[in-house]
Amino acid sequence: MNRHWMMVLAAGLMEVAWVSGLKHADTALEWTGTALAIIISFAVLIYATKVLPVGTVYAVFTGLGTIGTVIAEMLFFGEPFHLMKLLLVIVLLIGVIGLKVVTDESSSAEEGS
């Protein structure tokens, strides 16, 4: 995995932090952390899209954010566990991985031409 995809992964993890912050922040410090997470997340994402295809990057970013937020809410904030929710998150994860794999294959094919 190249560094630009690692940046998308990092931006997705930061998305989990700021989405959770939007729901759970109560103090000025927590709101400041949430705002910083938003800024960092989008700055890293914008940098990655200068090299990678925007549509695929955005789909991976939002997919990772969704998956991470659902899991974080269940693990850290007492969201009830539902098997169907977990199965749907797994389906989403398969789609995100599939987009990344297909994008890498098509990029390699274009470079070889």
Side-chain angles (χ1 to χ4, degrees):
M1 182 180 290
N2 71 31
R3 84 179 161 106
H4 293 98
W5 280 112
M6 292 301 290
M7 294 174 85
V8 174
L9 177 64
L13 292 174
M14 291 301 296
E15 182 183 17
V16 174
W18 67 257
V19 168
S20 294
L22 289 175
K23 180 176 181 181
H24 299 287
D26 292 324
T27 67
L29 183 60
E30 291 170 343
W31 280 109
T32 302
T34 299
L36 284 173
I38 292 170
I39 293 166
I40 292 168
S41 177
F42 281 103
V44 170
L45 185 70
I46 290 166
Y47 184 80
T49 59
K50 295 192 183 297
V51 174
L52 300 171
V54 174
T56 304
V57 167
Y58 187 68
V60 170
F61 169 75
T62 57
L64 291 173
T66 301
I67 293 163
T69 302
V70 168
I71 292 170
E73 287 291 312
M74 286 192 286
L75 291 176
F76 303 118
F77 299 107
E79 180 75 23
F81 173 82
H82 296 288
L83 182 60
M84 184 55 71
K85 187 185 288 189
L86 183 61
L87 292 173
L88 291 170
V89 165
I90 290 169
V91 169
L92 180 60
L93 182 60
I94 291 168
V96 166
I97 291 168
L99 276 172
K100 197 257 181 238
V101 168
V102 169
T103 299
D104 282 348
E105 288 175 5
S106 65
S107 296
S108 297
E110 291 171 6
E111 291 172 4
S113 322

